[in-house]
Amino acid sequence: MQKLLTWIDDRFPLSKVWNEHLAQYYAPKNFNFWYYFGSLALLVLVNQIVTGIFLTMNYKPDAALAFGSVQYIMYDVSWGWLIRYMHSVGASLFFAIIYLHMFRGLLYGSHRQPRELIWIFGTLIFVALMAEAFMGYLLPWGNMSYWGAQVIISLFTAIPVIGNGLAQWVRGDFVVSDATLNRFFAFHVIALPLVLVALVFVHLVALHKVGSNNPDGVEIKKKKDAKGIPLDGIPFHPYYTVKDIVGVTVFLMVFSAIIFFAPSFGGKFLEHDNFIPANILSTPLDIVPLWYFTPFYSMLRASTTDFTHGMLAVATVLVAGLAFFTKRGFLAKLMSVVIAAVLIVGMFTLQAKLWGVIMMGSSIVLIFFLPWLDRSPVKSIRYRGSLYKSALTIFVVSFILLGYLGTKSPDAVSLVLFKNVTWAQAFTLVYLAFFVLMPWYTKIDKTKPVPERVTFK
Amino acid sequence: MSEDGVDRGKRRFLTALTVGVGTVGVVFAATPFVLSMNPSARARAAGAPVDIDISKLELGQMLVVAWRGKPVYIVNRTQAMLDRLSKNTPLLVDPFSKVKSQQPPYADNLYRARKPEILVVLGVCTHLGCAPSKAFTVGAASGLGADWPGGFFCHCHGSKYDMSGRVFKNVPAPLNLDIPPYMYLTDTLIRIGSDKKKGAA
Amino acid sequence: MKKIVLSLLLALLPVVSHADEGPKLDHVKIDLSDKASLQRGARIFVNYCLSCHSASYLRYDRMGHDLGISDELVKQDLLFAGNKVGDRMQAVMPVADGKKWFGVAPPDLTLEARYRGTDWIYTYLRSFYRDPKSFSGWNNTVFPHVAMPFVLYEWQGEQHAVFRTKTIVSHEMKNGKPVTQVSTEQVFDHFVLAKPGTMTPKQYDQAIRDLTNFMAYMSEPTKLERIRIGVYVLIFLAVFLVVAILLKKEYWKDIH
């Protein structure tokens, strides 16, 4: 055995990789509940790839055959129903895990220096995952698949001048059609999975370069013993492998419970309107994306003309104010004035539809800038003041409520007093304010002293 | 981190237990994926037994039907064809149908058939799966030599079979042609793919 | 931290579903283990629905196997001439004819129970009423102006719908002044059985329940199997969880 290992090590860095990334990769010993979601995300990625391969064996990317081939998997292929449920439930849980994983970052400052690149790669994974899920959702060619794709691709038409041409280019036709289905299939089964796997790889490479953060936000590499091992670090293997096995098992129990007892999850994971084939003559009564897109969908729908004009007016004043008060040089002032001018011109020339798309786009783009928006001297929420704690709470509540409102008609009253669209506008403001005001409230927030070593038990 | 008082035996036992139970779980989880690659209900339905009416099959003629996507030859053999069968014995690899996989027990005879005159045989060469063509003409006129006793000839690699689908010596094919399971529903109605009274194949 | 989680939970509280608009649906109890009911439902489906509607993702032998009907009986009682037991359940009538006769092609019904829900099917099939203005002579309170004629008319008999007038008062702002608008609307109230059919209302409800039950089975034939397997999977994972926790505890003794 030892001989074989030596033989391999002379030709391939097996022991080296094993040690560097598992047996001698030192992770902080104080990981808590929130630190399970990274490995769980990896597990679900593998689940999606494996079940996806087996679905591809029987699926037909053809507008005339797609719906039938999915039912063929459900009815005729041995165990096909299980494989498909694993894939569809897996997709929903993937997003649940990713959202919790990102929330962990906000809690403990995992995006802060020196982990900015990990955060950026992670956000890119999130964007790629959204594209992957969106294209995959068209493949069953149900009525909701069809109209969902139709609506979202139509967003491109909001772009002035090139919009219509761009939407047609994406679809490969004047409407969503066989050509669209075929190319989405190509993106869904090979192009985006390759991108995702590559991004996950660099996400982990960057993580292992700087080391993991922890619930105290303390850099364990600053306190090392004589051998150069962090005092608060423990080898990932065996300590975190055995711990992750526990987390994985609990997750698998949740996963299996949904697959076997509620695979449609009351129409949330598999929508009722997707049990009839795409019908170009009949739009479902409520076009609602799957739950993981609804927060962003809500922001898109919130962009009425009045709302966007109000928003832009506020933004213009803010930028102009910044130009007036900033201590920076002439160039910064000039930039601010130019931006303000562009916003004012845009407000009067561009339609609300485009501003909705811009708003939805910025809600995602802002995530990338988080490492630089956060000016707090501490990382972890444990040592932050009440300002950040309240901001984060309000932000998460708004995000969840945006998601809820995204599933409802904009004109109905699902919460209290006001129409859904009004609430959605309010929560959109909160969402944007969380990011835009972050440099201010994190800077003036009262923080507690951070301990030298991590707290454990 | 200290390793004082570690019960190594217990640790080894628990590790082995986790690996063991985990492996069982992985095997269970992998099973549906492996089984999903078996023929689906659609393939099985397409492979269901087929019923063939042979009342119009004239003497010395051959009918080709598809079963499970493979050609099945049904030949109404003449008395002359049947008479020549026993003379082929020294030229054949397996004249007495000793290889059990090549025919059901009821075709384990000189005619390799339930009824001597009606041959039901799978038209799939046992060499590499081509469909042999009929070469019922005897002698030089067949183009297969003056001593050709009539039978089947595979163009792909030149394998030869006699009128019972038995393979000749010195050809690439190793085995006699397959006889599929079949039964007579009536005198002129043959069911291919099933030889049991119950319909299930 | 705990406070955040707690407040998140509180925030989720108002997220309670609101009743959707649409006709009031009667609840039907679905029991996929009631084979007798499923078999009766299958007979109704094959005899009355399958002439126009396909159930083309399901195969006869699969249905027979799941419902405890032998292949021979399937062939005798349920199969159309010329079909094999392994065939998919295709409608007798070609789709193009359906489009010609009814204006719309009768939809495939395999997945109807997952698309509309079982309560919808159960209520719909009991909500046909005579409407001389309609093309087929029938209308439906659940699916107004439905193209389908009432096939089970002989069983249920002829229903008449009784409507009542509902006054709707709405307040709106017009040119800055509050305006109250009063309008009336015809709302369905109840049915009257004008001409009894061959079945009593109770028998008819039972027959429709059987049919709905069968359509629920049809929309997901693996449902019972999936739940059965799920129990074993969860038991296995629970056992594994115990082992995994013991292993984790053993190793984490090292960490102080």
Side-chain angles (χ1 to χ4, degrees), chain A residues 50-51 54 57 72 76-79 82-83 86 235 239, chain B residues 1 3 11 18 32-33 35-37 39-42 44:
Chain A
V50 172
T51 53
F54 278 81
M57 290 182 193
Y72 169 71
D76 280 1
V77 175
S78 315
W79 297 95
L82 177 60
I83 296 171
M86 285 173 81
Y239 298 103
Chain B
M1 197 172 31
E3 308 227 334
R11 215 164 257 207
T18 311
F33 289 89
L35 292 181
S36 78
M37 290 175 75
S40 70
R42 181 171 68 196
R44 275 181 274 128

Short mmCIF file of all heavy atoms in Angstrom, two decimals, chain A residues 50-51 54 57 72 76-79 82-83 86 235 239, chain B residues 1 3 11 18 32-33 35-37 39-42 44:
data_model
loop_
_atom_site.label_atom_id
_atom_site.label_comp_id
_atom_site.label_asym_id
_atom_site.label_seq_id
_atom_site.Cartn_x
_atom_site.Cartn_y
_atom_site.Cartn_z
N VAL A 50 -25.37 14.56 -11.44
CA VAL A 50 -25.61 13.12 -11.65
C VAL A 50 -27.04 12.88 -12.13
O VAL A 50 -27.27 12.21 -13.15
CB VAL A 50 -25.32 12.33 -10.36
CG1 VAL A 50 -25.75 10.88 -10.52
CG2 VAL A 50 -23.84 12.41 -10.02
N THR A 51 -28.03 13.45 -11.43
CA THR A 51 -29.41 13.24 -11.86
C THR A 51 -29.62 13.85 -13.25
O THR A 51 -30.34 13.30 -14.08
CB THR A 51 -30.42 13.85 -10.87
OG1 THR A 51 -30.09 15.22 -10.65
CG2 THR A 51 -30.42 13.12 -9.56
N PHE A 54 -28.56 11.52 -15.98
CA PHE A 54 -29.51 10.43 -16.22
C PHE A 54 -30.81 10.93 -16.85
O PHE A 54 -31.44 10.21 -17.62
CB PHE A 54 -29.76 9.65 -14.92
CG PHE A 54 -28.68 8.64 -14.65
CD1 PHE A 54 -27.48 9.03 -14.08
CD2 PHE A 54 -28.85 7.32 -15.01
CE1 PHE A 54 -26.47 8.11 -13.86
CE2 PHE A 54 -27.85 6.39 -14.80
CZ PHE A 54 -26.65 6.79 -14.22
N MET A 57 -30.39 11.24 -20.58
CA MET A 57 -30.46 9.98 -21.33
C MET A 57 -31.83 9.75 -21.95
O MET A 57 -31.97 9.00 -22.90
CB MET A 57 -30.13 8.81 -20.40
CG MET A 57 -28.70 8.76 -19.98
SD MET A 57 -28.40 7.33 -18.95
CE MET A 57 -26.80 7.74 -18.29
N TYR A 72 -42.52 10.60 -20.18
CA TYR A 72 -41.94 9.28 -20.44
C TYR A 72 -41.01 8.89 -19.28
O TYR A 72 -41.04 7.77 -18.77
CB TYR A 72 -41.20 9.31 -21.77
CG TYR A 72 -40.34 8.12 -22.07
CD1 TYR A 72 -40.91 6.88 -22.38
CD2 TYR A 72 -38.95 8.22 -22.06
CE1 TYR A 72 -40.12 5.79 -22.67
CE2 TYR A 72 -38.15 7.14 -22.35
CZ TYR A 72 -38.74 5.92 -22.66
OH TYR A 72 -37.95 4.84 -22.93
N ASP A 76 -42.58 5.78 -17.76
CA ASP A 76 -42.09 4.57 -18.42
C ASP A 76 -40.69 4.14 -18.00
O ASP A 76 -40.38 2.96 -18.01
CB ASP A 76 -42.11 4.76 -19.95
CG ASP A 76 -43.51 4.55 -20.50
OD1 ASP A 76 -44.42 4.28 -19.71
OD2 ASP A 76 -43.68 4.67 -21.73
N VAL A 77 -39.82 5.11 -17.68
CA VAL A 77 -38.45 4.76 -17.33
C VAL A 77 -38.43 4.25 -15.90
O VAL A 77 -39.00 4.88 -15.00
CB VAL A 77 -37.52 5.99 -17.47
CG1 VAL A 77 -36.12 5.66 -16.98
CG2 VAL A 77 -37.50 6.47 -18.90
N SER A 78 -37.78 3.11 -15.67
CA SER A 78 -37.70 2.57 -14.32
C SER A 78 -37.02 3.60 -13.41
O SER A 78 -35.94 4.08 -13.74
CB SER A 78 -36.88 1.28 -14.28
OG SER A 78 -37.24 0.44 -15.32
N TRP A 79 -37.66 3.93 -12.34
CA TRP A 79 -37.15 4.88 -11.35
C TRP A 79 -36.97 6.29 -11.91
O TRP A 79 -36.39 7.15 -11.25
CB TRP A 79 -35.82 4.41 -10.74
CG TRP A 79 -35.98 3.13 -10.00
CD1 TRP A 79 -35.75 1.87 -10.46
CD2 TRP A 79 -36.44 2.97 -8.64
NE1 TRP A 79 -36.05 0.94 -9.49
CE2 TRP A 79 -36.46 1.60 -8.37
CE3 TRP A 79 -36.84 3.86 -7.65
CZ2 TRP A 79 -36.86 1.08 -7.14
CZ3 TRP A 79 -37.22 3.35 -6.43
CH2 TRP A 79 -37.23 1.97 -6.18
N LEU A 82 -38.13 9.09 -9.66
CA LEU A 82 -37.27 9.44 -8.52
C LEU A 82 -36.15 10.37 -8.98
O LEU A 82 -35.85 11.38 -8.35
CB LEU A 82 -36.70 8.17 -7.90
CG LEU A 82 -35.73 8.39 -6.75
CD1 LEU A 82 -36.39 9.14 -5.61
CD2 LEU A 82 -35.16 7.08 -6.25
N ILE A 83 -35.56 10.02 -10.12
CA ILE A 83 -34.44 10.82 -10.62
C ILE A 83 -34.92 12.23 -10.95
O ILE A 83 -34.26 13.22 -10.64
CB ILE A 83 -33.82 10.13 -11.85
CG1 ILE A 83 -33.23 8.78 -11.42
CG2 ILE A 83 -32.74 11.00 -12.49
CD1 ILE A 83 -32.78 7.90 -12.55
N MET A 86 -35.56 14.13 -7.73
CA MET A 86 -34.28 14.50 -7.11
C MET A 86 -33.73 15.76 -7.77
O MET A 86 -33.14 16.62 -7.12
CB MET A 86 -33.26 13.36 -7.23
CG MET A 86 -33.51 12.20 -6.28
SD MET A 86 -32.41 10.80 -6.61
CE MET A 86 -30.93 11.38 -5.76
N PRO A 235 -7.33 20.25 11.98
CA PRO A 235 -7.31 19.70 10.62
C PRO A 235 -8.73 19.48 10.11
O PRO A 235 -9.57 18.95 10.84
CB PRO A 235 -6.59 18.37 10.78
CG PRO A 235 -5.91 18.44 12.09
CD PRO A 235 -6.69 19.37 12.94
N TYR A 239 -11.73 16.17 11.58
CA TYR A 239 -12.73 16.82 12.44
C TYR A 239 -13.92 17.37 11.68
O TYR A 239 -15.06 17.17 12.08
CB TYR A 239 -12.05 17.88 13.31
CG TYR A 239 -11.02 17.23 14.20
CD1 TYR A 239 -9.67 17.31 13.92
CD2 TYR A 239 -11.44 16.45 15.28
CE1 TYR A 239 -8.74 16.65 14.70
CE2 TYR A 239 -10.52 15.78 16.06
CZ TYR A 239 -9.17 15.89 15.78
OH TYR A 239 -8.28 15.21 16.54
N MET B 1 -6.14 20.66 21.20
CA MET B 1 -6.21 19.33 20.59
C MET B 1 -5.22 18.41 21.30
O MET B 1 -4.03 18.63 21.28
CB MET B 1 -5.84 19.46 19.11
CG MET B 1 -6.25 18.27 18.31
SD MET B 1 -6.02 18.51 16.53
CE MET B 1 -4.64 19.59 16.41
N GLU B 3 -4.35 14.14 22.26
CA GLU B 3 -4.74 12.78 21.92
C GLU B 3 -4.62 11.87 23.14
O GLU B 3 -4.56 10.65 23.01
CB GLU B 3 -3.85 12.27 20.77
CG GLU B 3 -3.84 13.22 19.60
CD GLU B 3 -4.06 12.53 18.27
OE1 GLU B 3 -3.74 11.34 18.16
OE2 GLU B 3 -4.55 13.19 17.34
N ARG B 11 -12.60 4.25 18.13
CA ARG B 11 -12.56 5.18 17.00
C ARG B 11 -12.55 4.40 15.68
O ARG B 11 -13.27 4.73 14.76
CB ARG B 11 -11.30 6.04 17.11
CG ARG B 11 -11.51 7.44 16.64
CD ARG B 11 -10.41 8.33 17.12
NE ARG B 11 -10.87 9.13 18.24
CZ ARG B 11 -10.36 10.33 18.54
NH1 ARG B 11 -9.37 10.83 17.83
NH2 ARG B 11 -10.83 11.00 19.55
N THR B 18 -19.40 3.66 10.24
CA THR B 18 -19.90 4.75 9.39
C THR B 18 -19.64 4.44 7.92
O THR B 18 -20.53 4.59 7.08
CB THR B 18 -19.21 6.07 9.76
OG1 THR B 18 -19.27 6.23 11.17
CG2 THR B 18 -19.88 7.24 9.08
N PRO B 32 -31.30 2.84 -8.21
CA PRO B 32 -32.28 3.37 -9.16
C PRO B 32 -31.64 3.89 -10.45
O PRO B 32 -32.20 3.75 -11.52
CB PRO B 32 -32.93 4.53 -8.40
CG PRO B 32 -32.67 4.26 -6.98
CD PRO B 32 -31.39 3.50 -6.91
N PHE B 33 -30.43 4.45 -10.31
CA PHE B 33 -29.77 5.00 -11.49
C PHE B 33 -29.36 3.88 -12.44
O PHE B 33 -29.52 3.99 -13.65
CB PHE B 33 -28.54 5.82 -11.06
CG PHE B 33 -28.93 7.11 -10.38
CD1 PHE B 33 -29.13 7.15 -9.02
CD2 PHE B 33 -29.12 8.25 -11.12
CE1 PHE B 33 -29.51 8.32 -8.39
CE2 PHE B 33 -29.50 9.44 -10.51
CZ PHE B 33 -29.69 9.47 -9.14
N LEU B 35 -30.73 0.85 -12.56
CA LEU B 35 -31.93 0.22 -13.11
C LEU B 35 -32.62 1.09 -14.15
O LEU B 35 -33.30 0.58 -15.03
CB LEU B 35 -32.91 -0.10 -11.97
CG LEU B 35 -32.44 -1.18 -11.00
CD1 LEU B 35 -33.50 -1.42 -9.93
CD2 LEU B 35 -32.14 -2.48 -11.73
N SER B 36 -32.44 2.42 -14.05
CA SER B 36 -33.13 3.29 -15.00
C SER B 36 -32.61 3.09 -16.42
O SER B 36 -33.23 3.52 -17.38
CB SER B 36 -32.96 4.76 -14.59
OG SER B 36 -31.69 5.23 -14.96
N MET B 37 -31.44 2.44 -16.53
CA MET B 37 -30.89 2.23 -17.88
C MET B 37 -31.42 0.96 -18.53
O MET B 37 -31.14 0.70 -19.70
CB MET B 37 -29.36 2.23 -17.82
CG MET B 37 -28.82 3.62 -17.53
SD MET B 37 -27.04 3.68 -17.29
CE MET B 37 -26.48 3.52 -18.97
N PRO B 39 -34.32 -1.55 -20.27
CA PRO B 39 -35.39 -1.17 -21.21
C PRO B 39 -36.59 -0.61 -20.46
O PRO B 39 -37.01 -1.17 -19.45
CB PRO B 39 -35.73 -2.50 -21.89
CG PRO B 39 -34.50 -3.32 -21.77
CD PRO B 39 -33.86 -2.92 -20.47
N SER B 40 -37.12 0.50 -20.95
CA SER B 40 -38.25 1.15 -20.31
C SER B 40 -39.53 0.43 -20.66
O SER B 40 -39.55 -0.51 -21.46
CB SER B 40 -38.34 2.60 -20.76
OG SER B 40 -38.74 2.62 -22.11
N ALA B 41 -40.64 0.88 -20.06
CA ALA B 41 -41.94 0.28 -20.36
C ALA B 41 -42.25 0.39 -21.85
O ALA B 41 -42.88 -0.48 -22.42
CB ALA B 41 -43.02 0.98 -19.54
N ARG B 42 -41.78 1.49 -22.47
CA ARG B 42 -42.02 1.64 -23.91
C ARG B 42 -41.28 0.57 -24.71
O ARG B 42 -41.83 -0.07 -25.59
CB ARG B 42 -41.56 3.03 -24.35
CG ARG B 42 -41.80 3.28 -25.83
CD ARG B 42 -41.54 4.73 -26.19
NE ARG B 42 -40.13 5.07 -26.09
CZ ARG B 42 -39.67 6.33 -26.05
NH1 ARG B 42 -40.52 7.33 -26.09
NH2 ARG B 42 -38.39 6.57 -25.95
N ARG B 44 -40.27 -2.27 -23.57
CA ARG B 44 -40.84 -3.58 -23.27
C ARG B 44 -42.14 -3.78 -24.03
O ARG B 44 -42.43 -4.87 -24.50
CB ARG B 44 -41.06 -3.74 -21.76
CG ARG B 44 -39.78 -4.23 -21.06
CD ARG B 44 -40.01 -4.41 -19.58
NE ARG B 44 -39.81 -3.16 -18.86
CZ ARG B 44 -40.69 -2.62 -18.02
NH1 ARG B 44 -41.84 -3.25 -17.80
NH2 ARG B 44 -40.44 -1.50 -17.41
#
